[in-house]
Amino acid sequence: MLHLPFDHIRSNIADTAVAGSGSFSDYAIESRFRDEMFHGNGTLRSVAEKMGTALNNAKIEQLIQLQDGVRRRFLHEGITFTVIGQKDVTEQIIPIDCVPRILTASEWDHIDQGLRQRLHTLNLFLKDIYHEGRSLRDGIVPQDLVFGCPQYRMEMVGTKVPHDIYVSICGTDIVRTHDGFAVLEDNLRVPSGVSYMLSCRAAIKRAMPRLYRAHHVREVLPYPEQLYSQLASLVTWTQSPNIAILTPGQYNSAYYEHAFLAGEMGAELVEGRDLVVHDGMVFMRTVAGLKRVDVIYRRVDDDFIDPVTFRSDSLLGVPGLFHAYRVGNVVIANAPGTGVADDKALYAYVPDLIRYFLAEEPILSNVETYLCRTPEGLAYTLENLDNLVVKEVGGSGGYGMLVGPHASQKEKERFTERLRIDPTNFISQPTLALSRAACFIDGKLVPRHVDVRPFVLQGRTETWIAPGGLCRVALREGSLVVNSSQGGGCKDLWVINEEEECNAG
């Protein structure tokens, strides 16, 4: 445990940090990027005054000790992720940065309201495309985009989903520029990263307890309890449902998270071979016999959850699982077929869907997106490849994308060919001037680009959002790619209450 200087921060305001001095002597502010800690003139933002001053007053040796302490905690707990290289697959400890990113309660409440609006809309949209299809007939979303999406499941047409909650767990990526907060993408299929959020919080809370208390940080640690209760609320046939997390197994890149959540929730961690369907119900094999499972929080893609209904060669799923789901004897979260709503091409239509289903203006804006499936979008993308980020519509983890300003000529030529061959598989977006936050890297406090993935839980009647999120950071200098698989790391995100902050001063 390390106590950073804090006792006299308010009274000794002359020692307040300024970018380019003290521990921030290597900290460079660039006007094209919004800095989360400093104003453009190099003075601390009010929200970061306590943290910035404490860091500035600390000796470099103390900061090295702080960083080493949180890194060792991740190492000892085995908090890992998988990197898929050109030649091999390796498992690594996810890098953690010791300097929290701080948002005010009003900033967070804006994000919170926007996420609630967005998830409500996406659930309505999913219900619509698998039942009445009004939004398709009315031309809000092109029919071929939906029906041609690999994640669209004909088997879900007409299937009744418990309480019409197709998406129970959502992780939406939020970025910030000089224009404010915006949604970069929605993750609805099997959103990951919440274990990193919780582990970051535990590590930082332990490392700097006095600063944590002084900031009156909103808590994210109830997440496992909330996840359990929101999933349990979807069950109607028992008051004490049994919940299981279905994992592909220990070789999956997110297996650490599967095991972590099962332990924190008090849920069963199962593989497909541990479950059996009998008389239209799902049971888990135990030493005491079969035990009914009421909710399956699946971390397995649609294709592999049931070899009878989907891919017949799957060894990861449970034969007959979809039948049990369709007749209403088990809840699967998230529902099969939800992936059509987080397709990167569909993303461009979410603002229109909000207006269509809710008759409201979007609270959170989208990033400008060009659909290469249209002649205009393809032409624009090809003409401006140097300045755009090009993504596969079904891609994730930072794989299969081109960051134009940082790409080699050879990479751009290869993507040009791919775009011409299969334009429907790609979208493009402007290279965003992502905001930057202070990080301690190689013995120095320096700015790095960040985003955040908040986690939204939807139960029968309640929506709960953890007041924080997985704050991802591009650790490489100049990089805009925050994915851990592409050299990124994570840091804690503190949401603080301004009124309490002022009273504390």
Side-chain angles (χ1 to χ4, degrees):
M1 183 184 300
L2 176 66
H3 296 294
L4 291 176
F6 179 69
D7 290 339
H8 306 293
I9 285 177
R10 286 293 181 182
S11 59
N12 193 11
I13 201 68
D15 290 336
T16 296
V18 176
S21 66
S23 296
F24 289 96
S25 59
D26 293 293
Y27 201 95
I29 294 177
E30 297 183 42
S31 59
R32 57 187 172 138
F33 303 121
R34 187 191 194 282
D35 195 277
E36 300 282 340
M37 183 165 282
F38 292 98
H39 292 290
N41 62 5
T43 60
L44 284 170
R45 297 183 184 276
S46 59
V47 69
E49 188 174 277
K50 287 182 180 180
M51 179 60 66
T53 303
L55 293 170
N56 200 50
N57 289 346
K59 298 177 180 179
I60 292 297
E61 292 76 14
Q62 289 179 299
L63 297 179
I64 291 173
Q65 181 184 349
L66 175 66
Q67 177 62 37
D68 188 59
V70 296
R71 184 190 66 81
R72 285 180 178 274
R73 183 180 176 97
F74 267 40
L75 179 65
H76 292 159
E77 293 188 8
I79 303 173
T80 62
F81 67 101
T82 299
V83 175
I84 303 174
Q86 292 183 344
K87 296 182 179 179
D88 54 11
V89 177
T90 60
E91 190 172 21
Q92 300 179 12
I93 300 297
I94 187 170
I96 177 176
D97 178 66
C98 65
V99 182
R101 177 186 178 185
I102 304 176
L103 296 180
T104 64
S106 58
E107 289 173 328
W108 184 259
D109 290 345
H110 174 71
I111 294 173
D112 181 287
Q113 293 167 17
L115 292 176
R116 291 172 188 272
Q117 179 192 58
R118 198 170 180 98
L119 183 58
H120 186 196
T121 299
L122 291 174
N123 271 311
L124 290 173
F125 169 70
L126 286 164
K127 178 186 178 182
D128 182 56
I129 64 172
Y130 288 119
H131 292 274
E132 297 181 2
R134 291 186 300 110
S135 61
L136 304 182
R137 290 196 303 274
D138 290 346
I140 307 303
V141 177
Q143 295 188 26
D144 65 308
L145 190 153
V146 172
F147 297 143
C149 176
Q151 305 304 322
Y152 180 79
R153 304 294 175 190
M154 284 295 299
E155 297 84 357
M156 286 294 294
V157 174
T159 298
K160 181 172 175 55
V161 172
H163 312 290
D164 297 326
I165 306 300
Y166 286 76
V167 182
S168 301
I169 305 102
C170 176
T172 297
D173 294 339
I174 304 290
V175 297
R176 189 185 214 178
T177 66
H178 283 299
D179 295 327
F181 294 105
V183 173
L184 183 63
E185 63 181 52
D186 303 290
N187 298 283
L188 307 181
R189 279 171 276 180
V190 281
S192 64
V194 73
S195 61
Y196 302 149
M197 174 190 78
L198 297 172
S199 296
C200 274
R201 173 57 55 85
I204 299 301
K205 187 176 181 179
R206 181 177 180 181
M208 47 178 73
R210 294 164 69 188
L211 272 174
Y212 185 86
R213 290 195 299 270
H215 279 84
H216 305 282
V217 183
R218 293 184 181 182
E219 287 290 351
V220 298
L221 298 180
Y223 180 90
E225 178 184 345
Q226 285 290 334
L227 176 58
Y228 192 99
S229 63
Q230 298 297 341
L231 292 176
S233 73
L234 300 176
V235 178
T236 57
W237 53 85
T238 177
Q239 296 297 313
S240 302
N242 291 317
I243 299 177
I245 297 178
L246 177 62
T247 176
Q250 61 180 329
Y251 298 109
N252 182 264
S253 61
Y255 182 74
Y256 167 81
E257 177 159 294
H258 307 165
F260 176 89
L261 286 175
E264 293 293 313
M265 292 170 61
E268 304 288 350
L269 182 65
V270 299
E271 297 181 32
R273 61 190 176 185
D274 299 320
L275 302 177
V276 62
V277 176
H278 181 67
D279 288 340
M281 293 181 285
V282 182
F283 296 88
M284 178 178 63
R285 295 183 174 95
T286 74
V287 293
L290 296 179
K291 177 181 179 181
R292 186 174 178 183
V293 175
D294 303 291
V295 181
I296 294 178
Y297 174 22
R298 52 99 173 204
R299 300 299 295 262
V300 177
D301 289 338
D302 287 357
D303 283 339
F304 302 99
I305 61 173
D306 182 350
V308 174
T309 303
F310 301 110
R311 282 187 53 162
S312 60
D313 60 344
S314 172
L315 300 177
L316 303 177
V318 186
L321 175 59
F322 187 77
H323 170 70
Y325 175 70
R326 185 152 191 164
V327 298
N329 288 334
V330 68
V331 173
I332 299 178
N334 289 333
T338 57
V340 68
D342 73 4
D343 181 279
K344 289 179 175 60
L346 188 283
Y347 157 92
Y349 295 92
V350 174
D352 290 335
L353 289 171
I354 291 172
R355 298 182 185 100
Y356 180 76
F357 284 111
L358 304 182
E360 300 172 356
E361 283 300 307
I363 296 171
L364 291 171
S365 62
N366 267 21
V367 173
E368 188 175 11
T369 300
Y370 306 99
L371 302 177
C372 297
R373 68 194 303 274
T374 69
E376 299 81 7
L378 177 61
Y380 183 87
T381 300
L382 291 173
E383 292 170 6
N384 297 275
L385 208 56
D386 289 343
N387 303 312
L388 297 173
V389 177
V390 184
K391 303 176 182 178
E392 294 179 335
V393 295
S396 63
Y399 295 105
M401 63 184 286
L402 176 84
V403 182
H406 299 160
S408 66
Q409 185 60 34
K410 186 176 181 179
E411 289 172 324
K412 285 182 281 191
E413 289 173 357
R414 187 173 69 249
F415 256 79
T416 296
E417 183 179 0
R418 294 180 65 191
L419 283 163
R420 292 189 186 280
I421 292 173
D422 186 15
T424 60
N425 191 43
F426 296 95
I427 59 99
S428 66
Q429 296 172 326
T431 305
L432 298 175
L434 300 183
S435 67
R436 304 199 300 182
C439 300
F440 190 69
I441 299 174
D442 296 331
K444 301 176 182 179
L445 286 166
V446 292
R448 291 292 186 265
H449 295 288
V450 292
D451 77 356
V452 63
R453 177 177 293 178
F455 293 93
V456 189
L457 302 177
Q458 180 64 60
R460 183 189 305 185
T461 59
E462 181 185 0
T463 305
W464 187 84
I465 303 177
L470 171 61
C471 184
R472 304 185 300 175
V473 53
L475 295 174
R476 297 172 184 163
E477 185 175 3
S479 175
L480 294 168
V481 183
V482 298
N483 304 81
S484 57
S485 57
Q486 308 295 315
C490 61
K491 59 163 65 228
D492 198 10
L493 175 68
W494 290 4
V495 177
I496 64 173
N497 295 317
E498 296 101 319
E499 183 177 347
E500 293 179 2
E501 173 77 2
C502 293
N503 292 339

